[in-house]
Amino acid sequence: MTYKEIDERINHYQEELEWSVMILKNAIKNENYNKELDVIEILGYEKARVEFFSFVTAAYIDLLCTYRNLKRSKTDWEKFYNLRIAYLTIYETINTYFKFKGEIYKSVNIENKKTYKRFFEMLNEELYEFKEEFQYDKIMPKIRNKSSAHYDKNFLEYYSSFEILKKYESKDIIRSFLYFLNPLHYFSFSLVEGNVDEFLFLNSWLS
């Protein structure tokens, strides 16, 4: 992607995020019945699905911003800094995705469960390949715990992440994760609308 394309995507997804946040914030308190009459219910949206879409969109924007900054990095330490942010964002995105997944699948009606199960299986397969390639269980938590989310007291532990990121082709991690995040973003938006087009879902892998 060019810088212009990245900026256009960021602006577009920010508009989407502001739309979903507006829906989440506009709850109406009805004192007579002592319960919330949610704008989400009035518009026919399910809150969990809107929250899921908001999370995916925010993660997408964060990664695009990091990707743009990484492309502009001129020194090794700049690259290290932006890669640490990328690893942290991706690691937490994966964890949060699994927290949402079960709840979202339960919200699907019986008629669509078989179709949506197949979509989730495709997403999970893409995610599995990513986790294997970038050593989600070994390398990613080390970078996250020792240098991204914290400054390790043992500085050599902290600095070891710098050496890891120099060793691996880590610059590809964002592009690789977008192969998962792009269809997930389409899927999460379509869930809010209540209709996932199978052709568009498959096409989102190519976008």
Side-chain angles (χ1 to χ4, degrees), residues 104-183:
I104 297 301
Y105 183 66
K106 288 178 183 177
S107 74
V108 176
N109 59 42
I110 296 175
E111 293 79 11
N112 291 322
K113 275 194 180 295
K114 185 176 180 180
T115 301
Y116 282 32
K117 182 180 179 181
R118 186 169 73 253
F119 292 156
F120 272 119
E121 287 173 346
M122 293 171 67
L123 287 166
N124 290 339
E125 180 63 29
E126 186 75 48
L127 185 56
Y128 174 80
E129 292 178 5
F130 172 87
K131 289 168 69 176
E132 286 292 301
E133 181 179 358
F134 291 95
Q135 302 185 58
Y136 169 82
D137 293 316
K138 184 179 179 181
I139 299 297
M140 293 189 72
K142 178 178 174 63
I143 294 172
R144 184 243 185 234
N145 295 331
K146 298 297 183 181
S147 65
S148 294
H150 311 281
Y151 283 97
D152 198 275
K153 186 177 179 181
N154 183 333
F155 190 78
L156 290 180
E157 283 289 333
Y158 170 83
Y159 193 78
S160 66
S161 295
F162 178 68
E163 295 173 328
I164 290 171
L165 293 176
K166 284 186 69 176
K167 180 179 178 182
Y168 293 97
E169 289 296 318
S170 301
K171 63 184 179 182
D172 294 329
I173 190 171
I174 298 178
R175 287 198 298 267
S176 296
F177 194 66
L178 289 178
Y179 285 120
F180 165 73
L181 201 56
N182 202 53

Side-chain angles (χ1 to χ4, degrees), residues 53-81:
F53 169 73
S54 300
F55 144 66
V56 173
T57 305
Y60 208 145
I61 295 170
D62 288 345
L63 271 181
L64 286 172
C65 290
T66 306
Y67 182 60
R68 181 183 58 190
N69 293 338
L70 184 59
K71 282 170 65 73
R72 288 175 171 163
S73 298
K74 291 182 172 60
T75 66
D76 286 345
W77 199 263
E78 279 183 284
K79 294 173 185 175
F80 174 51
Y81 172 80

Side-chain angles (χ1 to χ4, degrees), residues 25-39:
K25 289 173 70 174
N26 278 283
I28 304 170
K29 186 76 172 179
N30 189 319
E31 298 294 341
N32 295 330
Y33 295 95
N34 195 30
K35 68 175 184 178
E36 282 191 353
L37 294 178
D38 220 324
V39 169

Side-chain angles (χ1 to χ4, degrees), residues 187-201:
F187 185 55
S188 66
F189 177 75
S190 300
L191 281 171
V192 172
E193 296 295 312
N195 180 37
V196 181
D197 185 290
E198 186 167 357
F199 173 77
L200 292 177
F201 176 67

Side-chain angles (χ1 to χ4, degrees), residues 6-16 18 61:
I6 295 172
D7 289 341
E8 287 174 349
R9 286 200 183 195
I10 290 173
N11 288 330
H12 173 72
Y13 293 139
Q14 185 174 339
E15 289 178 2
E16 288 188 352
E18 289 170 353
I61 295 170

